[in-house]
Amino acid sequence: MSKEEKMSRWGSEVLQAPVVADCWNRNVSAQSIVIVAHRSPDGDAVGSSLALHHHLRAMGLNSSVVLPDGFPAFFNWLPNADDIVLQDVEMERANALIAHAEVLWCLDFNGPKRAGQMEEVIRSSRAFKIVVDHHMEPELFADVLLSDPTCGSTCELIYGLIEAWYQQDSLSLETAQCLYTGMMTDTGSFRFSSVTGNTHRILGHLLDSGVNQAWIHEQVFGSNRIAKIQMQGFAMSEKLLVWPEHRTALISLTQAEMKRFDCQSGDTEGLVNQALALEGVEVAVFMKESEDGHVKMSFRSKGEYSVRDLVAEHFNGGGHRNAAGGILENTPMPVAIEFFQSLLKKWMPV
Ligand code: 5GP
Ligand code: MN
């Protein structure tokens, strides 16, 4: 088996293989363990990081969680979310933790570029690096790569790791809550095609461990500010474009529009899925102007259509077949929309 194959296979063989035992016996027991995830952290990034943090603690090991920037307030309740070091707030402390780590866990991203401003310090850190991730085409920058792009969430992979360590019976409630949250948010509340019988088997164990799933759903989806709901209403009624002949819908928001509704981190989440839920729509895009004049894009598709290919070719990004993201730098919103529209003939033929 080539190095590449060995590093990128998950499966039961790899879970039983020395590489996983190594994580625990030789490397995981290091004194300075740091866990990092991607920028604009979502439920899976925050959930998997805190889940591993709690599990290591239950096993008697201390670790630090360092994220590139803040996450939506509806994840603040996650156990020990307060302990997370945000690199954009505490740059020196965050960089020192990563630079001096003995073991660096890189969760929910397929290459250091996805960690934004932390890219360089992750690359140059001499830590033993372990990636656990479910994005396609992982970059081979780490010592151990546990990658399964068919898996619905990194949290599900972390559970697999805990099982491979035969520690699933020692799952703490905190670990279980964090895992449940990431699995829930990355699978659209368990409805995407990535959800398997194994996903539900794991969920069963998490509930048996004491997770209150109704309460978690309420924290994440049922505690919206009025301004957020009004902004979503505005986006749907004023900012939705549909090209029925191309089975495509687009929603865009500028900085001015978001400011008008006091937009906060996470407030625009879900908009792209609402566009995708329209009758006859197979591809949906959400375009958001950033403070520095770029247009950031979230793509979603149904079925076989790969938005990842579209994004990789035209929008300097990547992701999965049905969920991808990209960016057009220094581009005014109307130009970005026009450019996107010009691609529809080729990418979504009538
Ligand atoms: P979202 O639309 O939720 O921000 O991102 C959906 C998926 O697209 C993410 O899980 C991630 O895999 C991918 N993605 C988002 N932004 C980028 C990007 O700038 N570069 C790459 N390579 N992937 C991205
Ligand atoms: Mn994920």
Side-chain angles (χ1 to χ4, degrees):
M1 196 189 300
S2 71
K3 180 182 172 217
E4 206 160 302
E5 266 180 315
K6 190 172 154 204
M7 287 179 75
S8 63
R9 280 176 61 194
W10 177 267
S12 54
E13 308 98 286
V14 169
L15 282 176
Q16 307 304 329
V19 80
V20 171
D22 266 7
C23 296
W24 195 255
N25 297 332
R26 205 187 59 211
N27 301 298
V28 165
S29 56
Q31 286 309 299
S32 50
I33 303 172
V34 175
I35 301 164
V36 297
H38 61 79
R39 71 163 175 234
S40 302
D42 57 9
D44 194 30
V46 188
S48 59
S49 301
L50 284 174
L52 183 60
H53 175 65
H54 282 290
H55 184 69
L56 293 176
R57 176 178 294 178
M59 296 295 116
L61 298 171
N62 283 322
S63 63
S64 305
V65 178
V66 181
L67 298 176
D69 49 13
F71 46 85
F74 48 79
F75 295 127
N76 284 347
W77 62 272
L78 280 164
N80 294 71
D82 282 355
D83 294 353
I84 296 175
V85 178
L86 300 178
Q87 197 238 16
D88 66 343
V89 179
E90 291 185 84
M91 179 95 54
E92 267 179 35
R93 183 175 165 216
N95 289 349
L97 277 166
I98 296 169
H100 300 136
E102 282 176 61
V103 176
L104 186 63
W105 288 86
C106 302
L107 306 187
D108 202 34
F109 64 89
N110 60 359
K113 189 164 172 270
R114 298 278 296 125
Q117 303 264 18
M118 291 183 356
E119 175 179 358
E120 279 318 311
V121 66
I122 289 174
R123 282 192 195 284
S124 60
S125 168
R126 287 164 65 184
F128 184 85
K129 294 169 195 159
I130 306 167
V131 170
V132 185
D133 179 51
H134 66 135
H135 295 95
M136 290 160 86
E137 295 172 2
E139 185 187 325
L140 300 177
F141 72 97
D143 299 283
V144 175
L145 172 61
L146 301 175
S147 165
D148 182 358
T150 68
C151 188
S153 62
T154 296
C155 279
E156 187 170 328
L157 295 177
I158 293 288
Y159 185 91
L161 195 53
I162 292 171
E163 254 185 347
W165 288 332
Y166 300 104
Q167 292 164 347
Q168 70 273 23
D169 294 335
S170 313
L171 210 66
S172 70
L173 176 60
E174 288 84 2
T175 306
Q177 288 173 316
C178 295
L179 291 177
Y180 185 92
T181 303
M183 290 172 72
M184 175 185 83
T185 54
D186 252 30
T187 58
S189 296
F190 317 114
R191 74 180 194 278
F192 296 161
S193 56
S194 55
V195 172
T196 63
N198 190 46
T199 314
H200 280 282
R201 186 179 61 77
I202 295 169
L203 292 169
H205 185 209
L206 299 182
L207 298 193
D208 290 344
S209 305
V211 166
N212 181 342
Q213 94 277 15
W215 185 84
I216 292 181
H217 279 257
E218 182 63 20
Q219 302 312 305
V220 177
F221 301 118
S223 311
N224 299 297
R225 292 167 14 262
I226 292 175
K228 169 181 168 177
I229 298 297
Q230 288 177 334
M231 183 179 69
Q232 297 205 341
F234 166 78
M236 294 310 289
S237 67
E238 308 289 326
K239 303 302 309 275
L240 172 69
L241 293 172
V242 185
W243 295 276
E245 68 278 26
H246 298 297
R247 304 170 305 287
T248 300
L250 179 151
I251 295 174
S252 63
L253 286 173
T254 62
Q255 274 294 314
E257 288 161 346
M258 288 184 283
K259 287 208 173 101
R260 188 175 137 200
F261 292 97
D262 182 29
C263 184
Q264 295 176 14
S265 165
D267 280 3
T268 57
E269 221 142 282
L271 271 177
V272 67
N273 292 318
Q274 291 197 50
L276 188 66
L278 287 165
E279 188 181 20
V281 165
E282 287 170 27
V283 169
V285 190
F286 172 59
M287 295 190 178
K288 176 174 170 172
E289 187 184 25
S290 68
E291 280 178 21
D292 40 5
H294 309 315
V295 174
K296 292 196 172 158
M297 282 169 273
S298 284
F299 289 75
R300 297 289 184 273
S301 66
K302 284 178 190 162
E304 292 303 308
Y305 192 88
S306 171
V307 278
R308 189 189 152 275
D309 296 347
L310 170 69
V311 168
E313 186 154 335
H314 298 286
F315 299 103
N316 190 32
H320 317 265
R321 185 184 64 193
N322 297 130
I327 188 164
L328 281 179
E329 290 188 357
N330 303 311
T331 309
M333 186 60 82
V335 177
I337 294 174
E338 206 170 306
F339 175 61
F340 176 73
Q341 190 176 353
S342 76
L343 300 173
L344 288 178
K345 258 199 198 114
K346 177 181 165 204
W347 285 89
M348 290 300 286
V350 176

